[in-house]
């Protein structure tokens, strides 16, 4: 089943609570939260106080995408603020396995993120320890960028490995997702899709979300 995770990075922060409730009512399955530190990525977004604020307003899982250096230092903070998933970039972790264990120790589902150029071989030895792999289909740091289609073969290759090993791991795609770009990703076996501008920048957000989901459902093969 296809799940849609609207990214609040594209929401109106002056009415964030309402923006979260709107996508929940529209059929979103997760809320995607982009944390940027101005070091790992060339942009700053927000920290765990935003989770503190929205946690009581939604029953949806909070999917926290950490685009930060030294993620270990902040995992407790995000776990205590109510994260359900915490995903860390392979490129930002010196001891990836330890970071995954740290996330799990707080009862949070761990996931790993790969930049567009990062090979899937970097996570072969942690697949048994994680709940999600997040493929970046843009270079991280900004919303509203163009989808990088050369990532799709990596998604298909990982999906095959997950199947061969009999694992249950969600494959999430993040960056430039629309009702068109979701199609090759769902065909490659991805099942969770982040969408920021393709939902929040639309007049009818519910219709936009449902159109993206329907296109993904029609294409999904696993
Ligand atoms: O992590 C990121 C960007 O670094 C994403 O979650 C974006 O925020 C998605 O925005 P769109 O590409 O869907 O507009
Ligand atoms: Fe993200």
């Amino acid at each position: 089943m296809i799940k849609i995770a609207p990214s609040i990075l594209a929401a109106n922060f002056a009415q964030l609570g309402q923006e979260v409730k709107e996508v929940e009512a529209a059929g979103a399955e997760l809320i995607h939260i982009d944390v940027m530190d101005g070091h790992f990525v060339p942009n700053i977004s927000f920290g765990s106080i935003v989770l503190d604020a929205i946690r009581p307003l939604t029953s949806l899982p909070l999917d926290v995408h950490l685009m930060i250096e030294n993620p270990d230092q902040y995992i407790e903070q995000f776990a205590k603020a109510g994260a359900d998933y915490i995903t860390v970039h392979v490129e930002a972790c010196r001891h990836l396995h330890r970071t995954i264990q740290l996330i799990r120790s707080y009862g949070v589902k761990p996931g790993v993120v790969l930049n567009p150029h990062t090979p899937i071989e970097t996570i072969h030895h942690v697949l048994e320890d994680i709940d999600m792999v997040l493929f970046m289909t843009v270079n991280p740091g900004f919303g509203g960028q163009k989808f990088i289609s050369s990532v799709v073969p990596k998604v298909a290759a990982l999906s095959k490995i997950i199947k061969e090993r009999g694992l249950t791991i969600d494959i999430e795609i993040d960056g430039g997702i629309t009702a068109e770009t979701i199609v090759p990703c769902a065909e490659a076996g991805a099942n969770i899709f982040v969408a920021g501008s393709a939902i929040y920048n639309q007049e009818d957000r519910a219709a936009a979300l449902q159109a993206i989901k329907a296109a993904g459902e029609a294409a999904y093969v696993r």
Side-chain angles (χ1 to χ4, degrees):
M1 287 299 284
I2 296 294
K3 295 182 181 176
I4 303 296
S7 165
I8 60 165
L9 194 64
N12 179 349
F13 279 62
Q15 45 185 55
L16 187 56
Q18 185 48 40
E19 299 279 271
V20 168
K21 288 181 182 169
E22 187 181 341
V23 292
E24 180 167 11
E29 278 88 2
L30 302 94
I31 300 295
H32 186 78
I33 298 176
D34 287 308
V35 177
M36 305 176 180
D37 66 353
H39 293 277
F40 179 69
V41 289
N43 195 13
I44 297 174
S45 59
F46 47 75
S48 63
I49 55 168
V50 168
L51 272 82
D52 289 328
I54 63 176
R55 182 63 290 178
L57 304 181
T58 178
S59 57
L60 293 181
L62 300 182
D63 169 31
V64 178
H65 175 192
L66 293 183
M67 286 163 273
I68 63 176
E69 302 281 5
N70 302 319
D72 293 19
Q73 210 180 320
Y74 299 96
I75 280 162
E76 180 176 4
Q77 227 180 74
F78 283 99
K80 291 193 171 156
D84 294 280
Y85 292 86
I86 295 179
T87 59
V88 290
H89 274 259
V90 171
E91 307 86 5
C93 294
R94 189 166 289 174
H95 304 283
L96 181 61
H97 189 271
R98 177 180 289 150
T99 304
I100 290 165
Q101 285 180 312
L102 184 63
I103 296 170
R104 184 85 70 197
S105 75
Y106 289 104
V108 176
K109 293 186 174 117
V112 290
V113 194
L114 302 177
N115 275 336
H117 74 283
T118 304
I120 57 171
E121 284 71 21
T122 55
I123 58 167
H124 274 187
H125 301 288
V126 294
L127 288 177
E128 271 75 8
D129 306 299
I130 57 178
D131 288 276
M132 183 193 281
V133 174
L134 171 50
F135 285 95
M136 290 309 299
T137 42
V138 296
N139 289 301
F142 303 93
Q145 302 181 82
K146 192 174 174 292
F147 178 80
I148 300 171
S149 62
S150 57
V151 176
V152 173
K154 285 203 300 183
V155 178
L158 186 80
S159 179
K160 186 165 174 272
I161 291 164
I162 290 173
K163 235 188 271 173
E164 284 166 1
R165 292 201 204 171
L167 300 171
T168 311
I169 303 177
D170 287 310
I171 300 183
E172 184 173 37
I173 308 291
D174 187 6
I177 287 297
T178 64
E180 287 74 45
T181 57
I182 195 173
V183 171
C185 302
E187 284 172 350
N191 65 312
I192 304 181
F193 296 89
V194 177
S197 45
I199 292 175
Y200 277 114
N201 293 359
Q202 310 307 313
E203 201 137 306
D204 188 342
R205 290 150 165 196
L209 189 154
Q210 287 304 328
I212 296 169
K213 195 190 284 192
E217 297 278 9
Y220 182 66
V221 194
R222 195 155 191 176

